[in-house]
Amino acid sequence: MEPSAPRLDIKDVDRRRSLKDQPWWFYAIILIFIWAAYIFYARENYNDAFNFIKIGIGITIKTSLISYAFALILGLIAGLGRISKNIFFNNLARLYVELIRGIPMLVLIFFIALVGVPMLVDGVNALGVWLTEIGLGFLGTPLNAFGNKSLTMNTRAIVALSVTYGAFLAEIFRAGIQSIERGQMEAARSLGMSYGQAMRHIILPQAVRNVLPALGNDFVAMVKDSSLVSILAVRDITQVSRLYAGSTFRFREAYITVSVMYLSITVALSLLVQVMERRLSKND
Amino acid sequence: MTRPENIIVLKDLYKHFGEVKALNGINLNVAQGKVIVIIGPSGSGKSTMLRCINHLEMPTSGEVWIDGQQLGKNEKELNEIRTEVGMVFQLFNLFPHLTVLENVMIAQKVVRGRSNSEAREIAMSQLARVGIPEKADVHPTNLSGGQQQRVAIARALAMNPKIMLFDEPTSALDPEMIKEVLDVMLNLAKEGMTMVCVTHEMGFARSAADEIIFMDEGVIVEHTTPDDLYNNPKEERTKLFLSQILQH
């Protein structure tokens, strides 16, 4: 110790540290929200834009929620396929995941909505014709009547997002299942449980718990990627703000408004995921 | 139908993991109610043999018979036979997302189709049998190693197995916890349970085992009584191994 060294005031150090540890980025986001709330309220142009664009919020939320629910189901099935010992199921799941991951999401959305869905409808129609021919008209007729027009762009957008995110969630489920020690499966099987019973009662409950934060993060990502369905003319907030900007030439108002809307949704969801993560780690 | 004389029969059992030949022709008969201890250096195939008995490991060739029934590839039959063969693992493998009571209940409900109240009653009696009924509502992570292993034994016993397999049940335990697990195993042996135990606990082998098997390089080198093995081992390999583990 050098007695001549200048003494630092402990309080000073503490304050500096606490200043350093403050989440300044978060305060900045809150400031952005306050500023946005003020201009939406006080400025006529922004107020106008906000009122116009907010009609898309319902579609954005509905599209995200429904797509995510289907993606969870698809992802779980494909995730189980990825670890399955069944060669057919395993390769099918792998093919699905690799196809989706290898194609840009924007192209996928075009493809599924404008090529995949019509192809599926053709297939269903062909099945209807065949059923009618073999004398099962009561089954065939409704399938025959099923046309491309009965599937709105909103539905197709949901199909596209579900199929795309199903592949991402499959990898999360796979990683979650593989994170569970082998001994768990062995113990379950040694007690006479079938593979399916062991999965359902022993492996999946632990695996899902482990990947809950990752699933939450992917939901946030999906909310953002739902903006891509605006290219199918689905009237989500992105599409509505494009319409607003196009008709009024108020680009600044339109895109500031829609950005703040996405940001408020994703920040709120991210906070929820963080709370969930903290709760899970506390229970460990 | 007459009961088969031997409850476990292994015939010409081979298990190869790629190039590694874990088992090279095992023949073993275990009579009802006998306690068999298996010893041998690591990598000698002890655990592999044990895991072949309930087909957690599929043998490359050879036959396994449990209580007069041959184990095959049929999953449904395998699951039924496995309910008759309890297994206790080195690392306990309790289900961490379930409480102790639920650990002991789950397979009863899912596999045996027992009602909640029946499964609970059986689980509580098995937990009492291994001496920790008071821990029923605790999660396994809050238990000591010895307690966890006793829960694992109770979990296996709750299925009313005819055979119990123990795969180095005390190897992962601190010394002061080994006794509580061995005591439970000794009681089981006294009650007449057929047991096959891979363990290096020589005290247990001497006081409980009817037969002892020394394995090396995937074959049974000696198969005799514990006293006989200690007092006059016939094979050089056995002598060398015993001198190594009994030195201290």
Side-chain angles (χ1 to χ4, degrees):
Chain A
M1 283 295 279
E2 290 171 57
S4 58
R7 259 188 72 219
L8 273 171
D9 188 359
I10 290 174
K11 268 187 194 158
D12 199 1
V13 172
D14 273 353
R15 195 183 308 141
R16 226 179 274 168
R17 167 153 310 161
S18 69
L19 280 179
K20 205 180 86 190
D21 286 345
Q22 294 293 327
W24 294 110
W25 60 273
F26 188 69
Y27 299 153
I29 288 178
I30 288 177
L31 268 181
I32 291 174
F33 284 152
I34 293 170
W35 168 75
Y38 167 75
I39 58 170
F40 290 152
Y41 174 75
R43 297 226 202 132
E44 205 183 319
N45 283 357
Y46 282 94
N47 188 271
D48 192 39
F50 181 81
N51 284 329
F52 191 89
I53 292 169
K54 76 178 182 197
I55 55 175
I57 291 180
I59 293 282
T60 290
I61 291 175
K62 206 176 87 187
T63 307
S64 306
L65 279 176
I66 299 176
S67 303
Y68 195 73
F70 282 116
L72 277 176
I73 297 167
L74 266 178
L76 182 58
I77 294 171
L80 286 169
R82 288 280 276 110
I83 55 150
S84 165
K85 285 196 186 111
N86 181 312
I87 296 173
F88 174 75
F89 195 28
N90 182 307
N91 278 286
L92 188 68
R94 185 71 195 261
L95 178 69
Y96 165 53
V97 170
E98 296 302 335
L99 280 181
I100 299 295
R101 286 205 300 195
I103 302 172
M105 201 179 296
L106 186 58
V107 177
L108 268 175
I109 287 173
F110 275 131
F111 183 87
I112 292 170
L114 303 176
V115 182
V117 169
M119 269 165 62
L120 199 74
V121 169
D122 287 347
V124 169
N125 290 157
L127 184 72
V129 170
W130 181 72
L131 282 172
T132 314
E133 269 171 17
I134 62 165
L136 295 169
F138 65 99
L139 277 175
T141 316
L143 292 184
N144 238 337
F146 195 65
N148 275 319
K149 287 205 179 110
S150 39
L151 288 170
T152 61
M153 275 302 166
N154 286 26
T155 313
R156 293 178 199 207
I158 287 170
V159 173
L161 277 179
S162 309
V163 170
T164 310
Y165 264 79
F168 300 158
L169 298 190
E171 288 302 276
I172 293 181
F173 280 118
R174 180 188 60 79
I177 293 168
Q178 286 178 336
S179 74
I180 306 301
E181 290 166 58
R182 231 180 62 162
Q184 293 287 309
M185 179 55 97
E186 289 182 346
R189 296 308 299 273
S190 79
L191 290 164
M193 287 191 206
S194 68
Y195 180 82
Q197 287 170 335
M199 264 296 160
R200 191 175 141 215
H201 296 283
I202 306 302
I203 307 297
L204 282 179
Q206 299 181 57
V208 168
R209 189 175 180 277
N210 286 355
V211 298
L212 270 180
L215 291 178
N217 285 333
D218 258 35
F219 181 64
V220 177
M222 177 180 260
V223 170
K224 290 187 292 174
D225 283 339
S226 76
S227 67
L228 290 171
V229 303
S230 62
I231 54 157
L232 299 176
V234 171
R235 287 172 160 249
D236 73 328
I237 48 177
T238 307
Q239 175 65 3
V240 178
S241 55
R242 277 171 66 192
L243 291 177
Y244 182 79
S247 61
T248 59
F249 296 102
R250 291 179 189 153
F251 290 98
R252 188 184 297 180
E253 288 86 343
Y255 291 115
I256 284 180
T257 305
V258 72
S259 301
V260 169
M261 281 181 183
Y262 277 118
L263 195 63
S264 51
I265 298 174
T266 52
V267 166
L269 287 174
S270 300
L271 285 177
L272 270 178
V273 172
Q274 272 186 36
V275 169
M276 180 171 76
E277 227 166 323
R278 223 164 279 171
R279 237 189 237 163
L280 283 175
S281 60
K282 216 185 274 173
N283 287 346
D284 269 338
Chain B
M1 199 182 90
T2 52
R3 292 193 70 79
E5 196 182 331
N6 293 310
I7 194 163
I8 305 173
V9 176
L10 306 181
K11 272 188 202 159
D12 245 352
L13 209 60
Y14 285 81
K15 175 69 186 178
H16 296 172
F17 297 100
E19 288 294 295
V20 181
K21 294 173 175 162
L23 297 180
N24 291 309
I26 298 280
N27 287 288
L28 178 68
N29 296 322
V30 179
Q32 174 101 37
K34 293 287 185 207
V35 176
I36 315 285
V37 163
I38 304 169
I39 59 170
S42 64
S44 60
K46 312 173 297 259
S47 288
T48 308
M49 185 179 100
L50 200 70
R51 292 158 60 85
C52 278
I53 293 177
N54 64 355
H55 269 37
L56 270 190
E57 219 68 81
M58 284 284 177
T60 310
S61 68
E63 297 174 8
V64 177
W65 295 74
I66 300 288
D67 205 16
Q69 234 187 320
Q70 188 180 356
L71 274 68
K73 288 224 158 70
N74 184 319
E75 281 282 322
K76 222 178 150 217
E77 276 174 26
L78 268 183
N79 291 336
E80 274 167 30
I81 295 174
R82 284 197 184 115
T83 61
E84 309 292 335
V85 185
M87 188 161 194
V88 175
F89 300 85
Q90 182 176 0
L91 296 174
F92 331 131
N93 295 346
L94 292 179
F95 307 133
H97 62 301
L98 302 175
T99 65
V100 164
L101 186 66
E102 288 164 343
N103 262 276
V104 186
M105 285 170 67
I106 182 114
Q108 295 189 62
K109 292 202 288 190
V110 172
V111 180
R112 291 268 197 231
R114 289 175 186 156
S115 71
N116 208 47
S117 55
E118 189 187 3
R120 179 184 299 268
E121 202 174 306
I122 292 170
M124 283 311 295
S125 72
Q126 294 300 347
L127 286 174
R129 192 173 175 187
V130 299
I132 37 175
E134 75 280 4
K135 298 287 186 188
D137 295 321
V138 172
H139 275 267
T141 39
N142 299 323
L143 297 181
S144 72
Q147 290 171 328
Q148 288 194 47
Q149 195 59 298
R150 285 188 283 153
V151 173
I153 295 173
R155 179 176 70 176
L157 289 176
M159 300 296 284
N160 310 108
K162 294 178 183 144
I163 300 164
M164 286 286 285
L165 308 176
F166 291 86
D167 190 3
E168 307 207 27
T170 55
S171 301
L173 297 178
D174 291 333
E176 73 269 23
M177 290 166 190
I178 290 176
K179 188 177 173 294
E180 63 186 64
V181 172
L182 289 182
D183 283 345
V184 170
M185 289 170 66
L186 271 171
N187 279 334
L188 261 184
K190 271 184 211 146
E191 288 166 24
M193 175 68 77
T194 309
M195 293 163 65
V196 181
C197 318
V198 173
T199 179
H200 289 149
E201 295 299 331
M202 288 306 154
F204 173 78
R206 284 204 153 151
S207 53
D210 298 295
E211 300 166 28
I212 190 163
I213 289 170
F214 173 68
M215 279 182 76
D216 195 17
E217 295 181 349
V219 293
I220 294 178
V221 178
E222 286 198 48
H223 182 174
T224 177
T225 62
D227 283 339
D228 196 36
L229 190 84
Y230 296 131
N231 298 332
N232 68 65
K234 290 178 188 63
E235 302 282 334
E236 254 338 286
R237 284 190 278 183
T238 319
K239 286 180 195 162
L240 183 68
F241 179 73
L242 286 176
S243 73
Q244 278 164 350
I245 61 167
L246 295 176
Q247 227 164 34
H248 301 289

